[in-house]
């Protein structure tokens, strides 16, 4: 349930884009009434989906605050990035900004992991997981490097899909491709770590 909750803005972005695409005339009319004139019919689905994603992310934070009176830093960062890039897409009626949003988020995560280790000698992956998992010191370092490299590659891949495939293909990749690759990476990582966990506890 937590995974679904975390993915809610992405899922609603996808659903809104597909729903708007099924009735371009109605989508264009809605986008024009909300965002003003000068919007092409082909732009309406991505603009509506972007507005939905911004509202969904803000709603996430409101719900978490209402339930726990505390919001994770990651959620605040996600809101800031979607507001900046999504807001630019809505203001300029240009989908390029929202297509850069996943890359900005991936690269921010990767830079945070790498920068924390290089500048402050702090392994953030270890800090998050060491209470649940015992690993040899070198493995923690490899784990942090692997996540930083993964986020870097995902940022590059997002831009490759955005600039070399159709808008609809990018929307599909944003949900299924991004989440699928994340799942494969986590599974591969789990297989690698299982050997070291067993060695540590044997």
């Amino acid at each position: 349930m937590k995974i679904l909750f975390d993915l809610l803005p992405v899922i609603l972005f996808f659903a809104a884009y597909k729903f708007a695409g099924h009735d371009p005339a109605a989508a264009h009319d809605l986008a024009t009434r909300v965002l003003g004139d000068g919007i092409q019919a082909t732009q309406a689905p991505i603009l509506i989906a972007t507005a939905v994603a911004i509202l969904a992310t803000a709603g996430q934070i409101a719900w978490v605050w209402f339930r726990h009176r505390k919001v994770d830093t990651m959620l605040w960062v996600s809101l800031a990035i979607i507001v900046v890039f999504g807001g630019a897409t809505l203001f300029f009626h240009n989908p390029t900004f929202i297509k850069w949003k996943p890359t900005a988020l991936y690269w921010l995560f990767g830079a945070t992991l790498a920068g924390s280790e290089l500048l402050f000698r702090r392994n953030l992956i270890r800090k998050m997981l060491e209470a649940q998992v015992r690993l040899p010191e070198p493995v923690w370092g490899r784990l942090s490097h692997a996540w930083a490299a993964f986020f870097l590659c995902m940022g590059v891949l997002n831009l490759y899909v955005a600039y070399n495939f159709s808008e609809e293909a990018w929307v599909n990749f944003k949900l299924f491709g991004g989440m699928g690759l994340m799942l494969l990476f986590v599974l591969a990582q789990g297989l690698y770590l299982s050997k070291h966990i067993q060695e540590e506890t044997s």
Side-chain angles (χ1 to χ4, degrees):
M1 289 301 295
K2 185 179 187 307
I3 292 175
L4 288 176
F5 181 75
D6 291 341
L7 292 178
L8 185 62
V10 178
I11 295 171
L12 292 179
F13 177 91
F14 175 85
Y17 182 87
K18 296 296 183 180
F19 185 78
H22 283 310
D23 192 345
H28 181 248
D29 180 63
L30 175 62
T32 300
R33 283 190 284 113
V34 174
L35 301 174
D37 296 328
I39 298 174
Q40 300 177 16
T42 55
Q43 295 175 318
I46 195 73
L47 296 179
I48 291 173
T50 298
V52 167
I54 294 173
L55 293 175
T57 305
Q60 268 187 324
I61 289 182
W63 175 254
V64 170
W65 174 256
F66 176 76
R67 291 292 301 274
H68 307 288
R69 298 300 175 184
K70 181 181 179 182
V71 179
D72 292 339
T73 302
M74 186 178 296
L75 267 180
W76 285 118
V77 171
S78 296
L79 177 63
I81 290 180
I82 189 65
V83 167
V84 171
F85 286 87
T89 283
L90 297 180
F91 183 80
F92 294 107
H93 303 165
N94 187 340
T96 300
F97 297 102
I98 195 62
K99 291 179 179 179
W100 268 87
K101 181 261 176 183
T103 291
L105 196 60
Y106 286 134
W107 285 355
L108 178 61
F109 288 160
T112 300
L113 290 174
S116 180
E117 191 164 357
L118 289 174
L119 300 177
F120 305 107
R121 303 298 181 188
R122 294 183 62 194
N123 187 318
L124 296 182
I125 297 295
R126 178 173 186 169
K127 184 178 179 182
M128 288 187 291
L129 298 179
E130 65 181 349
Q132 291 79 33
V133 181
R134 294 176 59 199
L135 294 170
E137 187 66 32
V139 176
W140 283 118
R142 294 184 205 125
L143 190 61
S144 180
H145 298 157
W147 273 105
F150 174 76
F151 286 132
L152 172 64
C153 292
M154 285 298 294
V156 173
L157 183 58
N158 175 70
L159 292 182
Y160 178 80
V161 174
Y163 283 97
N164 290 277
F165 294 88
S166 67
E167 183 178 275
E168 185 173 6
W170 174 78
V171 171
N172 292 334
F173 172 79
K174 190 174 187 293
L175 177 60
F176 300 110
M179 294 304 105
L181 289 172
M182 179 76 75
L183 177 60
L184 288 176
F185 178 75
V186 170
L187 291 175
Q189 175 183 268
L191 291 174
Y192 169 73
L193 293 180
S194 63
K195 177 179 66 174
H196 297 283
I197 294 172
Q198 291 169 2
E199 289 175 352
E200 182 74 0
T201 57
S202 60

